[in-house]
Amino acid sequence: MASNTKPGENILWGGRFTGTCNTLYSLFIIAALTPFMVAYNESIHFDKKLYKQDILEDEFNKIEKGLQAVMKEWDNDSFVIVPGVDEDIHTANERRLGEIIGKDVAGKLHTGRSRNEQVACDMLAADRAESEVDHVMPGYTHLQRAQPIQRLREVVKRVNKSALGCGVLAGNPFNIDRDMMAAELGFEGLLWNSMGGVADRDFVAETLQWASMLMQHVSRWAEDLIIYSTAEFGFVRLADAYSTAWRLRGKSGRVFGQMAGFMMTLKGLPSTYNKDLQESWEAMLDTVKTVSDSMQIATGVLATLAIKPEKMQAALDPFMLATDIADYLVRKGVPFCETHHISGRVVALSEQTDTPMNELTYDQLKSVDARFEKDIAESFDYERSVEMRSAKGGTSKECVLEQIKVLRQILNA
């Protein structure tokens, strides 16, 4: 839709420039309105994604109809952004609303609220693990996806508080019902201090911090796959469609950078609202998109990769059972402080005689320590070794299935 509004007219801070100005101040005004400065100051090109959040806060009849018309323009991509006028999503919506229903009515849009507070407002892994629970590989670690999910829920519960009604910074003079608005919009409470409310971006900072933690897990998981898919290991093979999944590891750096950059923006700001806070949207929207895209890629990688159990089995080494020898001795009553020393001597004997540890004779083992009995042979069994780790969170089949059950409960909660 076309607009007759000129750059600089009705600009958010344009009222400040009316009346008599000295020459230096006039030069500042001209500089501020140059295309570069206007473009640099605008946030409309990234926070336009928040158009629904900005519009749906108002439900008065005439304004609501006008806002729905504006939203329809956003939806069908016919909304025309006016450079120099539409500084951000809020001014863009209000400007267009005024063109549709008239400025007198549209001007009431912000009665009872301020633009500052608006800104402050806005199971595949388990299945795969279960189907392949019988396979053993050396050094395998299970990605506990439940932990990042639990952290996200904690973040949402902590930061889902409403700033609506805080006014510009000192509160609202129209006796509006903040509790009602918060409940209607799905918030779980209020930001009680108005000065803190308009300045609050903890919800952005914590979201970025959570995303960084999640992407750290994803990056390490991707690194495992990178290693395990190399010719040296060959434990897994990625589908051709996801052969470039290594980008997951690289994308984590992007998310870390957004979080660190925004924290640097926050650290030097004085109390209440500052325009620097508009930096929050670009960081958060980019991070949300990056994380969302990354999780889709990770899901695709996990769904389509092929494991090679025979390669995993071939990579198992008897030396990995050295701790099982120590555990065996502990069960025979040998003090724990001695068992690892004895186990080390068995490893040394294996190396000296060039005999795999599981092929040492009973007499050879007795020569290391007389407390070995013939049932020591049972300790040289990879499957048994895994099954012995039967405490909650361990690697036995029962424990893994229990972890899968817990994970599904968390995902379905």
Side-chain angles (χ1 to χ4, degrees), residues 277-298:
L277 293 174
Q278 287 187 328
E279 293 296 315
S280 63
W281 293 124
E282 192 166 15
M284 187 169 74
L285 291 173
D286 183 79
T287 292
V288 169
K289 185 179 188 306
T290 300
V291 170
S292 177
D293 291 349
S294 296
M295 295 317 297
Q296 289 185 54
I297 295 295

Side-chain angles (χ1 to χ4, degrees), residues 28-329:
F28 170 76
I29 297 171
I30 295 170
L33 292 176
T34 59
F36 177 79
M37 288 296 292
V38 169
Y40 189 82
N41 195 46
E42 290 171 346
S43 62
I44 183 66
H45 294 290
F46 56 85
D47 69 7
K48 65 183 181 182
K49 296 179 182 179
L50 304 173
Y51 67 90
K52 287 187 180 179
Q53 285 79 354
D54 189 62
I55 288 174
L56 294 179
E57 292 170 9
D58 291 85
E59 298 179 349
F60 300 105
N61 292 335
K62 190 170 183 180
I63 292 178
E64 183 180 16
K65 290 179 181 178
L67 288 171
Q68 294 291 347
V70 175
M71 184 160 62
K72 186 175 181 180
E73 291 182 7
W74 282 113
D75 285 337
N76 61 29
D77 204 27
S78 65
F79 191 103
V80 177
I81 296 172
V82 182
V85 176
D86 297 340
E87 182 181 340
D88 58 20
I89 189 63
H90 315 299
T91 51
N93 285 331
E94 189 170 0
R95 185 267 304 163
R96 183 61 186 140
L97 179 65
E99 293 173 349
I100 294 174
I101 67 173
K103 293 184 179 180
D104 289 343
V105 177
K108 297 178 181 179
L109 179 64
H110 286 273
T111 301
R113 66 192 181 116
S114 81
R115 177 172 158 275
N116 292 355
E117 72 190 29
Q118 284 183 66
V119 177
C121 270
D122 291 288
M123 242 196 292
L124 172 65
D127 293 338
R128 193 70 195 260
E130 186 175 37
S131 66
E132 293 167 354
V133 71
D134 292 328
H135 302 307
V136 178
M137 65 178 286
Y140 178 75
T141 55
H142 178 64
L143 175 63
Q144 298 289 343
R145 296 186 134 205
Q147 189 175 31
I149 293 169
Q150 288 171 318
R151 285 178 175 163
L152 176 59
R153 289 174 179 165
E154 290 169 3
V155 169
V156 171
K157 184 183 297 184
R158 187 164 52 250
V159 304
N160 190 28
K161 309 295 183 183
S162 174
L164 285 173
C166 288
V168 176
L169 63 89
N172 186 279
F174 294 97
N175 196 33
I176 61 174
D177 189 337
R178 292 191 65 202
D179 293 298
M180 179 274 292
M181 289 194 302
E184 186 174 332
L185 293 172
F187 290 101
E188 298 180 27
L190 302 177
L191 291 170
W192 285 100
N193 183 280
S194 61
M195 294 180 71
V198 298
D200 178 67
R201 291 300 181 278
D202 286 358
F203 66 99
V204 176
E206 288 203 47
T207 300
L208 298 181
Q209 290 163 359
W210 167 82
S212 296
M213 182 65 71
L214 173 64
M215 289 301 290
Q216 180 191 57
H217 284 282
V218 171
S219 180
R220 295 179 65 180
W221 173 72
E223 175 62 11
D224 284 342
L225 290 183
I226 291 171
I227 293 172
Y228 295 150
S229 64
T230 60
E232 287 78 5
F233 288 82
F235 296 163
V236 300
R237 183 182 183 280
L238 299 186
D240 291 341
Y242 293 99
S243 60
T244 58
W246 320 133
R247 291 291 305 281
L248 287 170
R249 186 177 61 182
K251 286 291 186 181
S252 63
R254 182 187 185 99
V255 174
F256 299 162
Q258 294 284 18
M259 184 269 292
F262 183 58
M263 294 298 288
M264 291 303 99
T265 297
L266 286 178
K267 76 176 185 64
L269 298 183
S271 300
T272 73
Y273 182 76
N274 296 271
K275 198 169 181 64
D276 310 56
L277 293 174
Q278 287 187 328
E279 293 296 315
S280 63
W281 293 124
E282 192 166 15
M284 187 169 74
L285 291 173
D286 183 79
T287 292
V288 169
K289 185 179 188 306
T290 300
V291 170
S292 177
D293 291 349
S294 296
M295 295 317 297
Q296 289 185 54
I297 295 295
T299 301
V301 169
L302 190 61
T304 58
L305 68 83
I307 68 168
K308 298 183 178 180
E310 70 285 355
K311 284 277 192 176
M312 297 176 184
Q313 188 72 29
L316 296 175
D317 189 301
F319 286 137
M320 296 176 181
L321 300 173
T323 55
D324 291 83
I325 296 175
D327 293 343
Y328 167 87
L329 291 168

